[in-house]
Amino acid sequence: MKKTTLLIACVLLCTLHLNLFAQNIEFKNYEWSDTVTISKVPASMSKENSVIIFEKKTFEYCFNSQGMLEEYMLIHKKIKVLQEKGIEDNNKLYIGTYSADEVLTFKARVISPDNKKTEMFKGDTKMVNEEGSNYMVLAVEGLTVGCDLEFFYIKQLNPNFFNTFRFQDQKNRLKTEFTMITPKSLTFKTKSYNSLPAIKDTLINKKRYYTLKLGLIEAMDEEKYAAYDASVMRAEIKLSQNLDAGNAELYTWAGAASQIYKNVHFENTDESKDVKKVLKQFKCTEPECLIREIEAYIKGNFNIQDIDGNDDVASTFKRKYTSTMGMLKLYVRFFEQAGIPFELVVGNDKFSSKFDPSFETWQYLEEYLFYFPKLQKYLTPTNDALRFGFFPGGLMMTDALFIKEIGIGDTKTALGKIQKIGEIPMEKTYNNMDINMTLDPATLKSKLKVTHTTNGFMAADIRMFYFYATAEDRLKYTESTFKYGVKDAVLSNLEVKGYDIAKGETETDFVLTADVASSELIEKAGGDIIVKIGELIGEQSEMYQDKDRKMDMELENTHSYTRKIVFTVPAGYEVKGMETFNFASEFDNKDGRKSGFVSKARKEGNQVIIDVREYYASIFYPKSLFEAYKKVINSAADFNKLTLILVKK
Amino acid sequence: MEYRLNNYILAFFLLLSYSCVEAQSVDEYLEIKKVYPNADMYYTNIEDHIKIFYDKEKVKIDHISTREDMYLTDQSKSRTERSVSYSDLFNEIKSIEAYALVPKGKRYSKLKVVDFIESKSTNSSVFYDDQNTKSFKFEGIEPGARTYFSYKEDIKDVKFLFPIYLKEYSPVKITHGTLKYPNSVKLNYKVFGDTNGLSLHLTKKVTGSETLLTWEVTNTAAIPFEGSTCNVKYYAPHIIFWIEEYVSQGKTIPVCTDIKQLYQTNYALIKEVQAENSPLVKQMADSIVQGAKTDLEKLKKLYYFTQNHIKYIAFEDRMGGYVPRYASDVITKRFGDCKDKANLLRSMLKSVNIPSYLTWIGTRDIPYSFQELPTNSLFNHMIAATRIDNQWVFLDGTAEDHGLQVIPSHIQGKEALISISADSFVVAKVPVANLQDNFYKDQIRLSLDKEDVLKGSYELSMGGNWKTRMVGYIAGLTEKDKEKELQGLCQEGSNKSSAVLKGIKGLKERDTTLHIGLDFTLPNYIRRVNKKIYVNMNYVKQLESDDIDIPKRELDVENDFPYYFETTLRLKIPDGYKCTYLPTVSNFKTNDFGYEFVYKQEKNEIILVKRIDVNYQILPKSKFQSWNTMIESLKANYKESIVLEPIN
């Protein structure tokens, strides 16, 4: 969702004038020194592919002669290339820009270890389009190991009234300078996160300077089960006041609520015709049933794509696809016509940055949900796989703006409040396996009856896939599911249930059953037989981490895996090694819940019964729990190795 | 009254032009669904009309392409976008028309496309080219909807006629078209790909001053979509047309008559850049070969420099896709594409008095032989060639990390057109790598500690294409990741193992074997029950999952290069134990593949020597059964454990 859709009625008049600089831009004539000296990096970094020597980012807002607000950006960066890979990482520069005209100045140079320069200019760049986005690109000339690559450019932007700046990534940075300059009449608020020092605010003459100067920022590596983008040093900025127009706070939650409300409502009552016609065909009368029917209709008939034209309801009906905003309008019209009370929820994916209720910025208003207060349930308008009751895990338990319609007399408007989006309990999301296994000692072949039962988040995508896929593709997926644990599986009596979305099977168990014949689970050692029971659950990932854990562990959703394996010991044999199947690893999540891996084996008559349960009851685990968490993850990999031995009686 | 009537008429016409109701039947959709239950899309008509004609003594080509599709499933709904590309040099789009027919009861309503977006095309392998696209989206698409897309283009260069494919990745009702040309144009064509079961009607009719070629195939099934196979050109049936020569102002102008003519056309593209004699290139070459005593050493130094220190960045604007850049330019910029690298290498070699020659070649993606086709469709790559001991040696500047003796897999077995001089060339074949050179050998020594953890050393050695693949992989890793990733080499058999990297040898040296040494431990691997110890010596199970699903597989299997695996695993028998079960020798051999397992006991060690040979470039369907027999037999061997028991 592009936030530009929110900016239809921005409080300031703004424009994008190309090729004319506003009068007082401080970096209008920005230049670098002609004399160059090759940079040095600390010895500890000499094995890196490349290191960022410095990066300067300056933004300036100003009014042009017509009184329109403009924004300009200066980026100046110097990179030291230390390995061959560092050349490949840096010898193609990409500057995101709609057209080359927006880039007002561009210079680049390569400085060799003996201080020689190779210079490049805007004329050396080309415009390309990659995956729908335009870039100005430069193939950097003369770059070899030991060189510095330095470049700067000035670009005109569409004025940003709120923004996120990340100061840390997977490269070491020796020096960083951030400056934002605004006319005195425009005040911004800033907030720093993840140990980033605060941005300083100074008024000099008629301009405000927001500055931050930093020395070494160490690279931050990615970690499994972590919210990387949300954990690096970052600052949020937002336009707070336009003093020429009073002291009112801008871009508030209340402002967003009323703006979004306006955007999703419309004046043309004719548009309801199509909606009414569809509603008449629906059978449901109860709200939940009706909501599900509306959802099934919309998701079955329309999808979200980039569009150039109108996104009003009538156009959407004709075109069959629409923008995100068009999709919201469509739902709103349906719910209103059907008389279903709802709130519109706008929030942010926790893996990108955490919604901070104390810092009012529209930057967090990224993802949309509908909330039905009477039912206390959510609907995701932008994801076809997640059906009523489910929503993207990145929004779970995060703060968000809830927008509710209120009426004052005949006038209707919206009220916004910050609330936490709820949680979907662990019991809703599971993947279970039931396996009955027998084997023939003469042929060393085994026969299995396997049932996979999946639901909740884990079933959403598969269910939708089965619903839409051709029989051939369904079969391919089914086979791959059974072959995950048993690579040489020969399948028969396949059955698949629980994916008819059109008939409302959105929360019924998605069940795959099959009879499986295999020989790879059995190994022989002289007269003894080794049964590789552990492999039945499929290969499990192992978690290694030697270094100290930097980030907390975060999951999309809570979930569990249950496996029940019943193995019939063949006549004439005795089973050994059952005791290795009895182990457990559980821990307290520090929120009153537990997570763990528990495996238990018992013998009943000639059957060995093994019960396994792996469960994650929380979506958040502080990094202090890392060792315990890792142990649970690795327990499944331990189970993978386990075998039973059959010895002749 | 009159005013009102006018309005009605106006409204009627508006309605007609806006949502013209077509009289086509919707029932066909249900029929097609039954016939092709596994297809998302169905092409009802693929039609091409090409016309070659004279315009003021110049030969011109225009082409009208029409495609009509039917959407069969909800899945296909996401495929609403279409585009056509064009560039200054090759073609100009003269007109374009597109609309969707959306089911409305028993009829269709027409939704015309009005927004055509012009943009640069996206090509991930090329940094910059001058290809543009006109793209658009159909509106109102749902299962049963039909679309119509037609455009007219002028083809600007008579050397570049496009192939006509007779099958698609979806079933097609009819593929047909015409090619009309004046009889003073000499035109040739050939059908390539798998035409089995294809009822192609290809006719040629000469009337007066013109010839008309027509083609038609009906009811074709979809081209299979399978992995590990050759380029689609090998199996998708297609016709290639080419103009051999034409008459203009009484003179015969040759275009693509034979390989000699093709050579002359191409030579014109390299003539000028080859003539450059740059002191800068000489200076660079001299500094690179410093210390080299023989021509062979010099050759290697310059070749390896070009491979790894000139970075691959491709610009393909206008003739930039065909003409190499000046060597001096490439050496200054430090980047180039295949032909830039080839010419730089040739130029540097020349400056140190080693003769070498620019060479056009088609990679293994191209199935055509020089015999069959005298057009530039043969080529997609340029290398250099030189002679050592009277043998042609091929130098591929894009083949990073390859030693001189290692032939890049993408050109193995291909014909090469070597440019000797303005009027002399050589056609030579690039050899296919020898199985013995491409080895992946591991030597593992293990012993059991008191906690039943296997401990030992892992020595991996690699040669030929295996080595270059691994060196390239390691070069792409950051220092931080290198140790972790290499530890993974010996962790294949167990995700519980841990490893310490001891050393890497031969990473930078091109002409030696690559050695990687690790120490590792393997907990939870052996089984001890009562007093017996079970150990499966097949710690790594190569090709275990490589059996072919014969009933389903439709296409031949391609192998990048011939190779062999060899593992020698030595397990020390713990003190006080003896081996009570050792699997027997097992082997399998055909000309294309085979294996051998030998278990033996030497003093207090159990030794498994295992070798697997894979010696083919393409495994045809006829050999699938034999391949599966080998894999089955391999798997049976992988299931064997040895048994150790106390001596007393």
Side-chain angles (χ1 to χ4, degrees), chain A residues 84 142 306 318-320 519 522 528 540 638 641 643, chain B residues 18 137 140 142 309 311 333 495-496 527 532 534 639:
Chain A
E84 285 291 326
D306 287 339
K318 190 180 124 212
R319 194 193 288 115
K320 299 275 162 64
S519 60
I522 316 297
D528 302 343
Q540 303 288 314
D638 289 347
K641 303 281 156 311
T643 54
Chain B
Y18 186 67
K137 276 180 184 170
E142 59 182 54
H309 298 291
K311 300 296 171 189
K333 291 183 171 167
N495 49 6
K496 288 299 287 176
R527 286 307 316 267
K532 285 185 189 172
Y534 303 87
K639 290 164 77 170

PDB file of all heavy atoms in Angstrom, chain A residues 84 142 306 318-320 519 522 528 540 638 641 643, chain B residues 18 137 140 142 309 311 333 495-496 527 532 534 639:
ATOM      1  N   GLU A  84      37.663  -8.869  -4.304  1.00  0.00           N
ATOM      2  CA  GLU A  84      37.059  -8.974  -5.641  1.00  0.00           C
ATOM      3  C   GLU A  84      35.528  -8.912  -5.553  1.00  0.00           C
ATOM      4  O   GLU A  84      34.874  -8.271  -6.349  1.00  0.00           O
ATOM      5  CB  GLU A  84      37.463 -10.302  -6.306  1.00  0.00           C
ATOM      6  CG  GLU A  84      38.884 -10.333  -6.827  1.00  0.00           C
ATOM      7  CD  GLU A  84      39.123  -9.425  -8.023  1.00  0.00           C
ATOM      8  OE1 GLU A  84      38.215  -9.261  -8.845  1.00  0.00           O
ATOM      9  OE2 GLU A  84      40.234  -8.868  -8.110  1.00  0.00           O
ATOM     10  N   GLY A 142      36.824   1.375 -13.951  1.00  0.00           N
ATOM     11  CA  GLY A 142      38.174   1.337 -13.369  1.00  0.00           C
ATOM     12  C   GLY A 142      38.238   0.886 -11.926  1.00  0.00           C
ATOM     13  O   GLY A 142      39.225   1.141 -11.242  1.00  0.00           O
ATOM     14  N   ASP A 306      -1.607  -3.201  -9.750  1.00  0.00           N
ATOM     15  CA  ASP A 306      -1.350  -1.774  -9.999  1.00  0.00           C
ATOM     16  C   ASP A 306      -2.322  -1.308 -11.073  1.00  0.00           C
ATOM     17  O   ASP A 306      -2.489  -1.980 -12.085  1.00  0.00           O
ATOM     18  CB  ASP A 306       0.062  -1.574 -10.535  1.00  0.00           C
ATOM     19  CG  ASP A 306       1.080  -1.777  -9.429  1.00  0.00           C
ATOM     20  OD1 ASP A 306       0.690  -1.662  -8.254  1.00  0.00           O
ATOM     21  OD2 ASP A 306       2.244  -2.051  -9.743  1.00  0.00           O
ATOM     22  N   LYS A 318     -16.180  -3.673 -13.219  1.00  0.00           N
ATOM     23  CA  LYS A 318     -15.958  -3.871 -14.645  1.00  0.00           C
ATOM     24  C   LYS A 318     -14.586  -4.501 -14.902  1.00  0.00           C
ATOM     25  O   LYS A 318     -14.448  -5.443 -15.669  1.00  0.00           O
ATOM     26  CB  LYS A 318     -16.035  -2.504 -15.328  1.00  0.00           C
ATOM     27  CG  LYS A 318     -16.059  -2.598 -16.834  1.00  0.00           C
ATOM     28  CD  LYS A 318     -16.125  -1.214 -17.452  1.00  0.00           C
ATOM     29  CE  LYS A 318     -14.957  -1.030 -18.400  1.00  0.00           C
ATOM     30  NZ  LYS A 318     -14.432   0.273 -18.520  1.00  0.00           N
ATOM     31  N   ARG A 319     -13.583  -4.001 -14.219  1.00  0.00           N
ATOM     32  CA  ARG A 319     -12.211  -4.376 -14.533  1.00  0.00           C
ATOM     33  C   ARG A 319     -11.811  -5.726 -13.925  1.00  0.00           C
ATOM     34  O   ARG A 319     -10.972  -6.434 -14.430  1.00  0.00           O
ATOM     35  CB  ARG A 319     -11.282  -3.278 -14.007  1.00  0.00           C
ATOM     36  CG  ARG A 319      -9.883  -3.361 -14.537  1.00  0.00           C
ATOM     37  CD  ARG A 319      -8.946  -2.473 -13.747  1.00  0.00           C
ATOM     38  NE  ARG A 319      -9.116  -1.058 -13.976  1.00  0.00           N
ATOM     39  CZ  ARG A 319      -9.529  -0.175 -13.063  1.00  0.00           C
ATOM     40  NH1 ARG A 319      -9.839  -0.577 -11.847  1.00  0.00           N
ATOM     41  NH2 ARG A 319      -9.643   1.083 -13.351  1.00  0.00           N
ATOM     42  N   LYS A 320     -12.428  -6.065 -12.762  1.00  0.00           N
ATOM     43  CA  LYS A 320     -12.139  -7.298 -12.012  1.00  0.00           C
ATOM     44  C   LYS A 320     -10.846  -7.226 -11.209  1.00  0.00           C
ATOM     45  O   LYS A 320     -10.478  -8.184 -10.546  1.00  0.00           O
ATOM     46  CB  LYS A 320     -12.095  -8.545 -12.924  1.00  0.00           C
ATOM     47  CG  LYS A 320     -13.393  -8.813 -13.627  1.00  0.00           C
ATOM     48  CD  LYS A 320     -14.319  -9.609 -12.726  1.00  0.00           C
ATOM     49  CE  LYS A 320     -15.760  -9.564 -13.161  1.00  0.00           C
ATOM     50  NZ  LYS A 320     -16.024 -10.159 -14.449  1.00  0.00           N
ATOM     51  N   SER A 519      10.816 -48.425   0.710  1.00  0.00           N
ATOM     52  CA  SER A 519      11.867 -49.320   1.180  1.00  0.00           C
ATOM     53  C   SER A 519      13.008 -48.553   1.839  1.00  0.00           C
ATOM     54  O   SER A 519      13.884 -49.138   2.428  1.00  0.00           O
ATOM     55  CB  SER A 519      12.377 -50.195   0.031  1.00  0.00           C
ATOM     56  OG  SER A 519      12.898 -49.376  -0.977  1.00  0.00           O
ATOM     57  N   ILE A 522      14.070 -48.631   5.855  1.00  0.00           N
ATOM     58  CA  ILE A 522      14.619 -49.825   6.490  1.00  0.00           C
ATOM     59  C   ILE A 522      16.051 -50.030   6.029  1.00  0.00           C
ATOM     60  O   ILE A 522      16.332 -49.990   4.828  1.00  0.00           O
ATOM     61  CB  ILE A 522      13.801 -51.087   6.072  1.00  0.00           C
ATOM     62  CG1 ILE A 522      12.313 -50.810   6.130  1.00  0.00           C
ATOM     63  CG2 ILE A 522      14.197 -52.293   6.919  1.00  0.00           C
ATOM     64  CD1 ILE A 522      11.770 -50.477   7.489  1.00  0.00           C
ATOM     65  N   ASP A 528      20.178 -58.206  11.438  1.00  0.00           N
ATOM     66  CA  ASP A 528      19.361 -57.238  12.181  1.00  0.00           C
ATOM     67  C   ASP A 528      18.768 -56.202  11.224  1.00  0.00           C
ATOM     68  O   ASP A 528      19.285 -55.961  10.139  1.00  0.00           O
ATOM     69  CB  ASP A 528      20.212 -56.531  13.237  1.00  0.00           C
ATOM     70  CG  ASP A 528      20.833 -57.534  14.207  1.00  0.00           C
ATOM     71  OD1 ASP A 528      20.341 -58.692  14.254  1.00  0.00           O
ATOM     72  OD2 ASP A 528      21.812 -57.171  14.875  1.00  0.00           O
ATOM     73  N   GLN A 540      14.496 -32.051   9.451  1.00  0.00           N
ATOM     74  CA  GLN A 540      14.252 -30.900  10.320  1.00  0.00           C
ATOM     75  C   GLN A 540      15.475 -30.000  10.327  1.00  0.00           C
ATOM     76  O   GLN A 540      16.594 -30.479  10.314  1.00  0.00           O
ATOM     77  CB  GLN A 540      13.979 -31.384  11.758  1.00  0.00           C
ATOM     78  CG  GLN A 540      12.833 -32.357  11.861  1.00  0.00           C
ATOM     79  CD  GLN A 540      11.488 -31.694  11.660  1.00  0.00           C
ATOM     80  OE1 GLN A 540      11.208 -30.648  12.222  1.00  0.00           O
ATOM     81  NE2 GLN A 540      10.655 -32.301  10.830  1.00  0.00           N
ATOM     82  N   ASP A 638      17.190 -33.821  16.363  1.00  0.00           N
ATOM     83  CA  ASP A 638      17.649 -34.999  17.124  1.00  0.00           C
ATOM     84  C   ASP A 638      16.723 -36.188  16.857  1.00  0.00           C
ATOM     85  O   ASP A 638      17.173 -37.312  16.633  1.00  0.00           O
ATOM     86  CB  ASP A 638      17.642 -34.724  18.635  1.00  0.00           C
ATOM     87  CG  ASP A 638      18.739 -33.759  19.036  1.00  0.00           C
ATOM     88  OD1 ASP A 638      19.638 -33.517  18.204  1.00  0.00           O
ATOM     89  OD2 ASP A 638      18.693 -33.251  20.175  1.00  0.00           O
ATOM     90  N   LYS A 641      17.130 -38.402  13.770  1.00  0.00           N
ATOM     91  CA  LYS A 641      18.208 -39.398  13.688  1.00  0.00           C
ATOM     92  C   LYS A 641      17.817 -40.723  14.331  1.00  0.00           C
ATOM     93  O   LYS A 641      18.566 -41.693  14.246  1.00  0.00           O
ATOM     94  CB  LYS A 641      19.456 -38.885  14.439  1.00  0.00           C
ATOM     95  CG  LYS A 641      19.973 -37.577  13.951  1.00  0.00           C
ATOM     96  CD  LYS A 641      20.768 -37.782  12.691  1.00  0.00           C
ATOM     97  CE  LYS A 641      20.832 -36.542  11.847  1.00  0.00           C
ATOM     98  NZ  LYS A 641      19.602 -35.847  11.569  1.00  0.00           N
ATOM     99  N   THR A 643      16.369 -44.293  15.554  1.00  0.00           N
ATOM    100  CA  THR A 643      15.999 -45.534  14.869  1.00  0.00           C
ATOM    101  C   THR A 643      15.579 -46.582  15.900  1.00  0.00           C
ATOM    102  O   THR A 643      15.950 -46.505  17.070  1.00  0.00           O
ATOM    103  CB  THR A 643      17.201 -46.105  14.092  1.00  0.00           C
ATOM    104  OG1 THR A 643      18.304 -46.234  15.000  1.00  0.00           O
ATOM    105  CG2 THR A 643      17.610 -45.219  12.936  1.00  0.00           C
TER     106      THR A 643
ATOM    107  N   TYR B  18     -18.817   0.670 -26.943  1.00  0.00           N
ATOM    108  CA  TYR B  18     -18.238   0.493 -25.610  1.00  0.00           C
ATOM    109  C   TYR B  18     -18.276  -0.961 -25.176  1.00  0.00           C
ATOM    110  O   TYR B  18     -17.284  -1.519 -24.732  1.00  0.00           O
ATOM    111  CB  TYR B  18     -18.992   1.379 -24.623  1.00  0.00           C
ATOM    112  CG  TYR B  18     -18.362   1.368 -23.256  1.00  0.00           C
ATOM    113  CD1 TYR B  18     -17.099   1.937 -23.069  1.00  0.00           C
ATOM    114  CD2 TYR B  18     -19.017   0.792 -22.171  1.00  0.00           C
ATOM    115  CE1 TYR B  18     -16.497   1.928 -21.834  1.00  0.00           C
ATOM    116  CE2 TYR B  18     -18.425   0.789 -20.937  1.00  0.00           C
ATOM    117  CZ  TYR B  18     -17.173   1.352 -20.764  1.00  0.00           C
ATOM    118  OH  TYR B  18     -16.596   1.353 -19.548  1.00  0.00           O
ATOM    119  N   LYS B 137      -2.684  -4.268 -19.804  1.00  0.00           N
ATOM    120  CA  LYS B 137      -3.399  -5.289 -19.042  1.00  0.00           C
ATOM    121  C   LYS B 137      -4.808  -5.434 -19.596  1.00  0.00           C
ATOM    122  O   LYS B 137      -5.465  -4.429 -19.861  1.00  0.00           O
ATOM    123  CB  LYS B 137      -3.516  -4.865 -17.579  1.00  0.00           C
ATOM    124  CG  LYS B 137      -2.310  -5.196 -16.759  1.00  0.00           C
ATOM    125  CD  LYS B 137      -2.540  -4.735 -15.341  1.00  0.00           C
ATOM    126  CE  LYS B 137      -1.321  -4.965 -14.494  1.00  0.00           C
ATOM    127  NZ  LYS B 137      -1.467  -4.313 -13.197  1.00  0.00           N
ATOM    128  N   GLY B 140     -11.362  -7.182 -16.853  1.00  0.00           N
ATOM    129  CA  GLY B 140     -12.554  -8.023 -16.771  1.00  0.00           C
ATOM    130  C   GLY B 140     -12.294  -9.518 -16.898  1.00  0.00           C
ATOM    131  O   GLY B 140     -13.214 -10.298 -17.127  1.00  0.00           O
ATOM    132  N   GLU B 142     -11.887 -13.334 -16.298  1.00  0.00           N
ATOM    133  CA  GLU B 142     -12.385 -14.377 -15.400  1.00  0.00           C
ATOM    134  C   GLU B 142     -12.356 -15.682 -16.193  1.00  0.00           C
ATOM    135  O   GLU B 142     -12.159 -15.652 -17.420  1.00  0.00           O
ATOM    136  CB  GLU B 142     -13.820 -14.047 -14.955  1.00  0.00           C
ATOM    137  CG  GLU B 142     -14.796 -13.932 -16.123  1.00  0.00           C
ATOM    138  CD  GLU B 142     -16.191 -13.557 -15.673  1.00  0.00           C
ATOM    139  OE1 GLU B 142     -16.324 -12.556 -14.979  1.00  0.00           O
ATOM    140  OE2 GLU B 142     -17.122 -14.302 -16.022  1.00  0.00           O
ATOM    141  N   HIS B 309      39.350 -10.396 -13.456  1.00  0.00           N
ATOM    142  CA  HIS B 309      39.563  -8.990 -13.110  1.00  0.00           C
ATOM    143  C   HIS B 309      38.901  -8.017 -14.069  1.00  0.00           C
ATOM    144  O   HIS B 309      38.929  -6.813 -13.844  1.00  0.00           O
ATOM    145  CB  HIS B 309      41.061  -8.703 -12.962  1.00  0.00           C
ATOM    146  CG  HIS B 309      41.676  -9.509 -11.860  1.00  0.00           C
ATOM    147  ND1 HIS B 309      41.388  -9.274 -10.532  1.00  0.00           N
ATOM    148  CD2 HIS B 309      42.489 -10.578 -11.888  1.00  0.00           C
ATOM    149  CE1 HIS B 309      42.017 -10.165  -9.792  1.00  0.00           C
ATOM    150  NE2 HIS B 309      42.705 -10.975 -10.583  1.00  0.00           N
ATOM    151  N   LYS B 311      35.235  -7.349 -14.963  1.00  0.00           N
ATOM    152  CA  LYS B 311      33.940  -7.811 -14.437  1.00  0.00           C
ATOM    153  C   LYS B 311      32.899  -7.863 -15.549  1.00  0.00           C
ATOM    154  O   LYS B 311      32.932  -7.047 -16.461  1.00  0.00           O
ATOM    155  CB  LYS B 311      33.450  -6.882 -13.322  1.00  0.00           C
ATOM    156  CG  LYS B 311      34.420  -6.814 -12.154  1.00  0.00           C
ATOM    157  CD  LYS B 311      34.556  -8.155 -11.457  1.00  0.00           C
ATOM    158  CE  LYS B 311      35.678  -8.152 -10.445  1.00  0.00           C
ATOM    159  NZ  LYS B 311      35.964  -9.491  -9.916  1.00  0.00           N
ATOM    160  N   LYS B 333      37.994   0.606 -18.302  1.00  0.00           N
ATOM    161  CA  LYS B 333      36.752   0.527 -17.521  1.00  0.00           C
ATOM    162  C   LYS B 333      36.731  -0.670 -16.580  1.00  0.00           C
ATOM    163  O   LYS B 333      36.006  -0.688 -15.608  1.00  0.00           O
ATOM    164  CB  LYS B 333      35.552   0.474 -18.474  1.00  0.00           C
ATOM    165  CG  LYS B 333      35.367   1.796 -19.207  1.00  0.00           C
ATOM    166  CD  LYS B 333      34.152   1.793 -20.091  1.00  0.00           C
ATOM    167  CE  LYS B 333      33.915   3.196 -20.619  1.00  0.00           C
ATOM    168  NZ  LYS B 333      32.944   3.230 -21.703  1.00  0.00           N
ATOM    169  N   ASN B 495      22.658 -33.442  10.434  1.00  0.00           N
ATOM    170  CA  ASN B 495      22.617 -32.045  10.848  1.00  0.00           C
ATOM    171  C   ASN B 495      23.021 -31.883  12.315  1.00  0.00           C
ATOM    172  O   ASN B 495      22.941 -30.824  12.878  1.00  0.00           O
ATOM    173  CB  ASN B 495      21.253 -31.407  10.561  1.00  0.00           C
ATOM    174  CG  ASN B 495      20.128 -32.257  11.066  1.00  0.00           C
ATOM    175  OD1 ASN B 495      20.359 -33.279  11.726  1.00  0.00           O
ATOM    176  ND2 ASN B 495      18.911 -31.847  10.781  1.00  0.00           N
ATOM    177  N   LYS B 496      23.504 -32.979  12.912  1.00  0.00           N
ATOM    178  CA  LYS B 496      24.010 -32.878  14.291  1.00  0.00           C
ATOM    179  C   LYS B 496      25.522 -32.705  14.318  1.00  0.00           C
ATOM    180  O   LYS B 496      26.105 -32.494  15.364  1.00  0.00           O
ATOM    181  CB  LYS B 496      23.672 -34.167  15.070  1.00  0.00           C
ATOM    182  CG  LYS B 496      22.226 -34.342  15.438  1.00  0.00           C
ATOM    183  CD  LYS B 496      21.724 -33.241  16.329  1.00  0.00           C
ATOM    184  CE  LYS B 496      22.272 -33.369  17.761  1.00  0.00           C
ATOM    185  NZ  LYS B 496      21.821 -32.226  18.561  1.00  0.00           N
ATOM    186  N   ARG B 527      24.503 -46.575  15.970  1.00  0.00           N
ATOM    187  CA  ARG B 527      23.528 -47.119  16.896  1.00  0.00           C
ATOM    188  C   ARG B 527      24.205 -48.198  17.720  1.00  0.00           C
ATOM    189  O   ARG B 527      24.918 -49.040  17.185  1.00  0.00           O
ATOM    190  CB  ARG B 527      22.337 -47.735  16.145  1.00  0.00           C
ATOM    191  CG  ARG B 527      21.393 -46.747  15.537  1.00  0.00           C
ATOM    192  CD  ARG B 527      20.857 -45.701  16.501  1.00  0.00           C
ATOM    193  NE  ARG B 527      20.442 -46.222  17.789  1.00  0.00           N
ATOM    194  CZ  ARG B 527      19.217 -46.599  18.082  1.00  0.00           C
ATOM    195  NH1 ARG B 527      18.255 -46.514  17.187  1.00  0.00           N
ATOM    196  NH2 ARG B 527      18.913 -47.053  19.288  1.00  0.00           N
ATOM    197  N   LYS B 532      25.981 -54.633  20.448  1.00  0.00           N
ATOM    198  CA  LYS B 532      26.328 -54.457  19.037  1.00  0.00           C
ATOM    199  C   LYS B 532      26.397 -52.977  18.659  1.00  0.00           C
ATOM    200  O   LYS B 532      25.628 -52.155  19.150  1.00  0.00           O
ATOM    201  CB  LYS B 532      25.261 -55.108  18.157  1.00  0.00           C
ATOM    202  CG  LYS B 532      25.298 -56.605  18.107  1.00  0.00           C
ATOM    203  CD  LYS B 532      24.248 -57.047  17.100  1.00  0.00           C
ATOM    204  CE  LYS B 532      24.037 -58.526  17.119  1.00  0.00           C
ATOM    205  NZ  LYS B 532      22.893 -58.893  16.283  1.00  0.00           N
ATOM    206  N   TYR B 534      26.146 -50.544  15.259  1.00  0.00           N
ATOM    207  CA  TYR B 534      25.772 -50.510  13.842  1.00  0.00           C
ATOM    208  C   TYR B 534      26.271 -49.202  13.245  1.00  0.00           C
ATOM    209  O   TYR B 534      26.011 -48.132  13.789  1.00  0.00           O
ATOM    210  CB  TYR B 534      24.250 -50.545  13.686  1.00  0.00           C
ATOM    211  CG  TYR B 534      23.583 -51.738  14.326  1.00  0.00           C
ATOM    212  CD1 TYR B 534      23.199 -51.724  15.665  1.00  0.00           C
ATOM    213  CD2 TYR B 534      23.323 -52.887  13.559  1.00  0.00           C
ATOM    214  CE1 TYR B 534      22.581 -52.814  16.250  1.00  0.00           C
ATOM    215  CE2 TYR B 534      22.692 -53.985  14.144  1.00  0.00           C
ATOM    216  CZ  TYR B 534      22.326 -53.944  15.483  1.00  0.00           C
ATOM    217  OH  TYR B 534      21.709 -55.015  16.040  1.00  0.00           O
ATOM    218  N   LYS B 639      21.715 -48.673   2.084  1.00  0.00           N
ATOM    219  CA  LYS B 639      20.977 -49.160   3.261  1.00  0.00           C
ATOM    220  C   LYS B 639      21.783 -50.122   4.115  1.00  0.00           C
ATOM    221  O   LYS B 639      21.312 -50.578   5.155  1.00  0.00           O
ATOM    222  CB  LYS B 639      19.686 -49.852   2.800  1.00  0.00           C
ATOM    223  CG  LYS B 639      18.681 -48.861   2.256  1.00  0.00           C
ATOM    224  CD  LYS B 639      17.603 -49.534   1.463  1.00  0.00           C
ATOM    225  CE  LYS B 639      16.606 -50.185   2.388  1.00  0.00           C
ATOM    226  NZ  LYS B 639      15.422 -50.643   1.644  1.00  0.00           N
TER     227      LYS B 639
END
